[in-house]
Amino acid sequence: MRRKLVALWVFLFSLGTLAFAQEFRATISGHVLDATGASVPQAKITATNMATNEVSTATTDTSGSYTIPLLRPGEYKVVVTATGFKQ
């Protein structure tokens, strides 16, 4: 009986430590396309946290895809710039 109680205690303790590993940050991802639907490689994406002015950036790959991970919760202004395109 004592062995079962110890095993239960260890199990419950393990569950508590797993809860601390949860992530509270977010990710912005997407695709940049031109007016014809073609991908825009090497476009620069800038996400600015409106409350803290913290800036995170990414560059699109050859398929126009980008990902900006590990953003703090908040409201963001996202700007895309690319050579030959208006902002």
Side-chain angles (χ1 to χ4, degrees):
M1 180 68 168
R2 182 172 168 89
R3 186 178 291 211
K4 287 182 182 180
L5 287 176
V6 170
L8 178 61
W9 183 83
V10 169
F11 175 73
L12 292 175
F13 180 77
S14 297
L15 287 178
T17 59
L18 291 175
F20 291 109
Q22 295 177 5
E23 185 59 61
F24 69 94
R25 293 176 284 185
T27 298
I28 296 174
S29 61
H31 304 280
V32 178
L33 307 174
D34 67 12
T36 67
S39 62
V40 181
Q42 299 302 308
K44 182 178 179 182
I45 300 19
T46 303
T48 305
N49 184 311
M50 301 303 289
T52 65
N53 286 324
E54 183 178 2
V55 176
S56 300
T57 62
T59 303
T60 58
D61 60 17
T62 56
S63 68
S65 298
Y66 68 91
T67 300
I68 304 175
L70 304 174
L71 296 171
R72 298 180 192 275
E75 183 177 338
Y76 283 82
K77 177 181 178 182
V78 178
V79 176
V80 179
T81 55
T83 303
F85 290 90
K86 291 182 181 179
Q87 183 174 329

